[in-house]
């Protein structure tokens, strides 16, 4: 094992108290404008923007810095069509038979259903995979620690980057994900975590009237 190597933290920028307050408040205001969107425009988006957002996600902290993620950036209309086709087949089973009534009740305010046109309308789908183990240099199989949590953090940063870039997204978790390994030609040891649908909103896009929990109900101080 190599001995640990360290370097001075030169990247950190010390801000003034007032700059910190201003930036924290301004970023909060910006993030409060984020909404999940289900109706997308087919207006193109430059691939470089998506690559930068994914690169931001890939800066996320991860257990033992094992970076247990893989991102497939999908823009081929043919691949999007195949994803939509298999996803809708599974969603139909979910909405017709698999979903418990309580789950369907909980989805009522979102008015979701088995049809997923956004999977073809949006210019980009980012399929995010979790690698729960890895092969070491000696060929040994070892676990990736907190792999799902690490990927969750990366997805949060991806969503934030997409919003900050002026685009909208939907964190789509297909009912049953396994089928997408085949469509996206990914090995079985990568498991799909979600598809982030990214693009511009449709001109007539609507979002459900929802409320965020008041801060004092989700935060306590100790
Ligand atoms: N995957 C289905 C059902 C669904 C589940 C949850 I949890 C949601 O927040 C939204 C939908 C679908 O996408 O329709």
């Amino acid at each position: 094992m190599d001995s640990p190597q360290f370097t001075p933290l030169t990247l950190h920028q010390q801000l003034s108290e007032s700059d910190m307050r201003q930036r924290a408040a301004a970023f909060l205001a910006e993030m409060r404008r984020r909404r999940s969107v289900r109706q997308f425009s087919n207006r193109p988006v430059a691939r470089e923007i998506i690559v930068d957002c994914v690169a931001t996600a890939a800066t996320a902290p991860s257990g033992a810095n094992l970076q247990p993620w893989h991102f497939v950036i999908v823009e081929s209309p043919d691949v999007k069509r195949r994803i939509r086709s298999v996803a809708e087949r599974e969603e139909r089973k979910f909405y017709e038979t698999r979903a418990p009534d309580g789950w369907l009740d909980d989805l009522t305010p979102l008015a979701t259903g088995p049809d997923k046109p956004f999977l073809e309308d949006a210019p980009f789908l980012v399929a995010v995979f979790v690698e729960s183990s890895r092969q070491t240099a000696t060929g040994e199989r070892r676990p990736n620690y907190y792999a799902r949590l690490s990927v969750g953090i990366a997805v949060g940063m991806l969503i934030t980057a997409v919003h900050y870039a002026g685009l909208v997204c939907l964190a789509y978790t297909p009912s049953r994900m396994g089928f997408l390994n085949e469509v996206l030609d990914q090995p079985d040891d990568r498991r799909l975590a979600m598809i982030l649908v990214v693009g511009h909103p449709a001109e007539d896009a609507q979002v459900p009237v929802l409320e965020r929990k008041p801060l004092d109900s989700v935060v306590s101080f100790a």
Side-chain angles (χ1 to χ4, degrees), residues 38 91 94-95 103-104 106-107 110 112-116 118 170-176:
R38 290 186 170 75
E91 296 296 7
F94 172 83
Y95 282 96
W103 192 341
L104 293 179
D106 290 335
L107 292 178
L110 305 180
T112 56
D115 298 326
K116 305 296 178 195
F118 53 73
L170 176 70
Y172 171 53
T173 46
S175 308
R176 298 244 168 101

Side-chain angles (χ1 to χ4, degrees), residues 26-28 30-35 49 52-54 56-57 59 152-171 194 196 198:
F27 198 66
L28 169 61
E30 182 57 52
M31 292 312 292
R32 279 188 168 150
R33 297 184 327 106
R34 188 200 59 79
R35 292 297 311 261
I49 296 172
D52 275 354
C53 293
V54 169
T56 296
T59 69
I153 295 168
V155 167
M157 292 174 66
L158 177 56
I159 291 169
T160 305
V162 163
H163 175 75
Y164 194 68
L167 296 168
V168 297
C169 63
L170 176 70
M194 70 163 51
L196 199 76
V198 186

